[in-house]
Amino acid sequence: MKRKRHDLFWGFVFIILAVILILSQLGLLGDMRIGIWTLLATVFLLSILLKSLFSISFWGILFSIAFLCILYDEPLGITALTPWTVLIAAFLGSVGLSMIFRPKKRQYHRGSGSYSSNKTVYEKSEWIVDDADGASASIHCQCHFSSCIKYVNSPSFTDGFIDCSFGGVKLYFDDAEISGEYAELTVDGSFCGIELFVPKDWVITDQIHTCLSGIDEKNPQSHAGGGKKLILKGRLNFSGITITYI
């Protein structure tokens, strides 16, 4: 049913855009002229906007609105604000809202089979972080406007949380072991680069909501018989994750 509603919505969107294109070319919209490339860009930005609304990604919401304002600045009468004013406003608004409404870390208690929401306890960001937290079942890493390296040596790794903006994080899991069938790593990243070095027998499952971001794998392995699973969750905005199997 959800898939059907999704198809219906985009079906109507494309039909409406087709009608707008025809009316525009016939001059029935007054001085407003919309080309095919503008409509395609509109569809792309609307898809980002809707996806960002569902995942509550402020970067995706504000920047997609900003680019839509740039596309339609003349009909909206806001040429004095485009492009730099709306882009800077989107940037500042995204930073502010992300800091105010920072998501809480949801930790799964395997024994009880239930979730509990706690405020995340962050560690101090340094170039190299290698303390007792690296050997615990749950790890946390915060990095803003800097870079840090963390070595995870846990013999029973279950979950982790990365909070990074305008920086870089390197996490080494080569000495870590997943105690159960899977572990979860939640990422909240904006304008950052994250590198994960994982054992070659791990299987990565990507469940991250991305906005103008990407995930790249190096030296991927084939797991015919399966293996320990690392599930990536959270959101990534204008960032990238590189996964290296070692």
Side-chain angles (χ1 to χ4, degrees), residues 6-7 49 63-64 88-89 91-92 102 106 121 132 151 164-165 173 178 185 187 202-204 216 218 241 245:
H6 178 274
D7 292 340
L49 177 60
F63 269 95
S64 57
I88 294 174
F91 172 79
L92 295 176
R102 185 173 300 281
R106 298 184 68 192
V121 179
Y151 298 91
C164 184
S165 58
F173 291 94
I178 297 176
L185 182 63
V187 178
W202 283 16
V203 179
I204 306 297
D216 182 38
K218 294 183 178 180
I241 294 181
Y245 295 89

Side-chain angles (χ1 to χ4, degrees), residues 56-60 62 90-103 122 144 163 165-166 188-191 235 237:
I56 315 179
S57 171
F58 298 116
W59 294 93
L62 295 184
F91 172 79
L92 295 176
S94 299
V95 172
L97 289 172
S98 297
M99 294 177 67
I100 295 172
F101 299 100
R102 185 173 300 281
Y122 298 115
H144 301 301
D163 175 18
S165 58
F166 300 96
D188 183 14
S190 300
F191 289 93
R235 58 189 183 186
N237 304 299

Side-chain angles (χ1 to χ4, degrees), residues 72-123:
Y72 298 96
D73 55 355
E74 291 186 2
L76 294 173
I78 56 172
T79 54
L81 299 178
T82 56
W84 296 112
T85 301
V86 293
L87 289 176
I88 294 174
F91 172 79
L92 295 176
S94 299
V95 172
L97 289 172
S98 297
M99 294 177 67
I100 295 172
F101 299 100
R102 185 173 300 281
K104 295 180 180 179
K105 176 180 179 291
R106 298 184 68 192
Q107 185 174 6
Y108 180 70
H109 298 281
R110 296 175 184 269
S112 62
S114 62
Y115 281 98
S116 67
S117 179
N118 303 302
K119 291 185 177 179
T120 305
V121 179
Y122 298 115
E123 65 187 22

